[in-house]
């Protein structure tokens, strides 16, 4: 769906831009370009090589666009993004019907430059000079300066625009079976993170309660994450065989083996929950990462890291549940300064926070992408019986099967360039 929905969205933007150009609406064209690059870079981060330079032009006769290498696509996208941002004119056409920023061109600029920063930081291992250049361009242009700037899309269930993650978590089996991982819960508990009681709860005892949506116990001290690789199969991987298994809850026919494990709270099942596209916290953490790596930025890593923590604790309140009190947030930031004993220690701490923050905000793909970029957090693959990735954590997604009939030559060239179409061969910037 990422491929199909992404290209469908980008195609609408492309058509909108063509109409806007006819009417001289240059700001609308520029804003459309920001959205198009955001969408297609998202697809590329997941798949690798994609159609870009010839994409979206079926009406012009290009129905089988060539796949650009991800390296070429990224450079072109960054260039197109820079051109679009330069074209925004405060005295030009107003943007109407804007559900993201209400036509605020200043905030669209900040989104565009923040996206540029994130894309540039993807390149730090494979093309550091380009990364440095676009990081500087993004900072000079103006990235998010507070949580008020971040791209958070409000869902609208009543009119057919519900939160898709919430839709999934409202499936009966998912209400019961979806639990937070041990990796995340342990991370939050170790740091006494004030977000833990907002995002995690242990349901009341018994199978019926675990299948229901009644509010559970959010006491941080009782939260337990489910270890990866265990199931309810009754075989060797059954969760009851896990060495630290906490036992079931309920009795008799109402017993549940996973009742003591933490599940997401009701904010994740709210079909009107917002979608966190790009946040101030993520940008501050990326600036901290850049500073540690020696890229030229105007601040220091410790200050950026503290600002990222502050932003993360503020933004969780936008989910619609509880908020972190200012005094609690301030104390947490003071108690958790960046470890500057070595660059490796700093990068580990920064990127573990990106992982936790994006995951907590249900931006799971970004958690995965940043893990691919940095290797943090350090994860242990689960070699589950019958897995599709040779016992390794997937690094990309397979191209859609439909491409083999709709664009066979383009697909074949991309697979050849990338060295295969598997779950474990890497995209270009994943070095």
């Amino acid at each position: 769906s990422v491929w199909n929905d992404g290209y469908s969205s980008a195609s609408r933007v492309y058509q909108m831009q063509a109409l806007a150009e006819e009417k001289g609406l240059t700001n609308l064209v520029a804003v459309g370009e920001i959205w198009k690059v955001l969408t297609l870079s998202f697809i590329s981060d997941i798949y690798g090589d994609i159609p870009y330079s010839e994409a979206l032009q079926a009406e012009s006769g290009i129905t089988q666009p060539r796949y650009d290498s991800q390296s070429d696509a990224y450079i072109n996208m960054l260039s197109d993004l820079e051109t679009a941002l330069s074209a925004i004119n405060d005295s030009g056409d107003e943007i109407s019907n804007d559900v993201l920023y209400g036509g605020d061109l200043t905030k669209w600029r900040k989104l565009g430059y923040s996206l540029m920063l994130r894309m540039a930081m993807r390149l730090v291992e494979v093309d550091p000079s380009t990364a440095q250049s676009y990081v500087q361009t993004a900072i000079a242009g103006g990235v998010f300066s507070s949580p008020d700037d971040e791209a958070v899309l409000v869902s609208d269930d009543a009119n057919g625009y519900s939160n898709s993650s919430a839709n999934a978590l409202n499936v009966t089996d998912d209400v019961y079976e979806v639990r937070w991982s041990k990796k995340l819960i342990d991370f939050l508990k170790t740091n006494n993170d004030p977000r833990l009681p907002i995002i995690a709860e242990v349901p009341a005892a018994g199978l019926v309660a675990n299948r229901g949506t009644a509010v559970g116990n959010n006491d941080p001290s009782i939260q337990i994450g489910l270890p990866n690789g265990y199931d309810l199969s009754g075989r060797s991987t059954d969760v009851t065989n896990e060495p630290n298994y906490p036992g079931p809850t309920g009795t008799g026919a109402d017993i549940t083996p996973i009742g003591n494990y933490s599940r997401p709270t009701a904010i994740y099942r709210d079909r009107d929950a917002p979608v966190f596209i790009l946040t101030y916290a993520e940008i501050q953490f990326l600036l901290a990462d850049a500073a540690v790596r020696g890229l030229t930025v105007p601040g220091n890593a410790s200050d950026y890291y503290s600002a990222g923590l502050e932003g993360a604790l503020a933004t969780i309140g936008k989910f619609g549940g509880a908020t972190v009190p200012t005094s609690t947030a301030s104390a947490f930031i003071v108690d958790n300064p960046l470890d500057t004993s070595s660059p490796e220690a700093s990068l580990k701490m920064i990127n573990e926070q990106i992982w936790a923050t994006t995951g907590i905000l249900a931006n799971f793909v970004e958690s995965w992408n940043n893990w691919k970029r940095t290797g943090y957090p350090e994860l242990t693959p689960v070699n589950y019986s019958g897995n599709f990735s040779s016992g390794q954590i997937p690094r990309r997604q397979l191209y859609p099967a439909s491409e083999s009939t709709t664009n066979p030559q383009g697909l074949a060239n991309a697979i050849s360039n990338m060295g295969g179409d598997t779950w474990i061969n890497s995209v270009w910037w994943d070095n």
Side-chain angles (χ1 to χ4, degrees):
S1 64
V2 166
W3 185 279
N4 293 335
D5 292 348
Y7 273 106
S8 177
S9 174
S11 179
R12 292 192 194 99
V13 170
Y14 188 79
Q15 292 176 313
M16 179 201 75
Q17 288 177 297
L19 294 171
E21 285 175 351
E22 291 178 6
K23 298 177 181 293
L25 304 177
T26 56
N27 283 336
L28 188 56
V29 174
V31 164
E33 195 69 15
I34 295 170
W35 197 258
K36 188 173 73 177
V37 170
L38 187 152
T39 301
L40 295 181
S41 64
F42 180 74
I43 296 172
S44 181
D45 288 339
I46 293 172
Y47 292 95
D49 295 3
I50 62 166
Y52 182 72
S53 59
E54 293 184 356
L56 315 175
Q57 300 178 52
E59 291 181 348
S60 301
I62 303 177
T63 58
Q64 294 185 331
R66 70 179 179 87
Y67 281 60
D68 296 275
S69 67
Q70 188 181 47
S71 57
D72 287 347
Y74 243 73
I75 298 304
N76 288 334
M77 283 189 278
L78 284 164
S79 176
D80 290 346
L81 185 58
E82 185 175 14
T83 299
L85 286 163
S86 299
I88 294 177
N89 181 358
D90 291 329
S91 300
D93 55 288
E94 296 182 359
I95 307 297
S96 60
N97 298 313
D98 176 7
V99 297
L100 190 62
Y101 286 131
D104 189 329
L105 292 173
T106 297
K107 291 190 175 182
W108 273 105
R109 276 198 197 89
K110 289 184 177 183
L111 172 58
Y113 283 116
S114 296
L115 172 61
M116 180 183 290
L117 176 72
R118 185 172 72 179
M119 292 178 66
M121 289 302 293
R122 294 273 201 259
L123 312 185
V124 289
E125 296 287 349
V126 293
D127 191 348
S129 62
T130 299
Q132 171 69 87
S133 175
Y134 277 105
V135 164
Q136 288 182 303
T137 300
I139 292 170
V143 296
F144 294 153
S145 56
S146 81
D148 291 338
D149 297 329
E150 56 197 17
V152 180
L153 183 65
V154 178
S155 300
D156 184 8
D157 183 45
N159 290 298
Y161 299 97
S162 57
N163 184 293
S164 58
S165 181
N167 286 342
L169 290 176
N170 275 283
V171 175
T172 302
D173 285 345
D174 284 349
V175 169
Y176 173 48
E177 295 174 1
V178 172
R179 306 284 157 147
W180 286 114
S181 71
K182 174 177 170 56
K183 187 78 173 180
L184 179 68
I185 296 299
D186 286 356
F187 176 80
L188 298 177
K189 289 182 75 171
T190 298
N191 297 324
N192 294 315
D193 195 303
R195 291 172 290 184
L196 180 55
I198 297 174
I199 72 160
E201 65 182 16
V202 176
L207 182 61
V208 172
N210 272 257
R211 285 178 169 164
T213 57
V215 175
N217 189 338
N218 68 344
D219 181 349
S221 67
I222 70 166
Q223 303 307 317
I224 302 174
L226 182 68
N228 292 92
Y230 289 93
D231 55 36
L232 296 171
S233 67
R235 300 189 297 269
S236 62
T237 51
D238 193 275
V239 69
T240 59
N241 295 320
E242 201 273 323
N244 297 308
Y245 177 59
T249 66
T251 59
D254 192 43
I255 198 169
T256 170
I258 59 174
N260 274 310
Y261 293 112
S262 302
R263 74 177 182 187
T265 54
I267 58 176
Y268 296 95
R269 297 188 296 273
D270 181 3
R271 297 180 194 271
D272 281 318
V275 177
F276 296 89
I277 298 168
L278 186 57
T279 65
Y280 168 76
E282 186 180 345
I283 293 305
Q284 292 302 301
F285 289 136
L286 287 171
L287 287 168
D289 183 303
V292 171
R293 294 176 189 271
L295 276 67
T296 303
V297 294
N300 65 73
S302 293
D303 289 346
Y304 286 131
Y305 181 77
S306 293
L309 286 182
E310 183 179 12
L313 299 183
T315 297
I316 192 67
K318 295 182 181 183
F319 233 133
T323 59
V324 178
T326 302
S327 58
T328 302
S330 297
F332 179 73
I333 293 165
V334 170
D335 291 341
N336 291 273
L338 181 65
D339 183 349
T340 57
S341 61
S342 69
E344 291 75 18
S346 295
L347 289 174
K348 178 178 185 292
M349 202 167 179
I350 292 163
N351 288 291
E352 284 180 344
Q353 274 298 339
I354 292 179
W355 161 76
T357 298
T358 52
I360 283 170
L361 295 175
N363 192 353
F364 309 117
V365 173
E366 188 53 37
S367 302
W368 176 55
N369 281 333
N370 197 65
W371 169 79
K372 291 188 294 184
R373 181 182 73 89
T374 66
Y376 295 116
E378 297 173 356
L379 301 175
T380 302
V382 173
N383 194 2
Y384 191 84
S385 178
N387 74 81
F388 52 76
S389 57
S390 304
Q392 300 178 50
I393 299 172
R395 315 292 301 203
R396 60 178 294 275
Q397 188 161 318
L398 301 183
Y399 287 117
S402 59
E403 283 292 282
S404 63
T405 54
T406 58
N407 192 1
Q409 190 57 57
L411 176 63
N413 291 341
I415 291 173
S416 176
N417 184 59
M418 293 186 61
D421 184 24
T422 73
W423 294 93
I424 56 176
N425 62 305
S426 300
V427 302
W428 166 65
W429 54 254
D430 175 8
N431 198 34

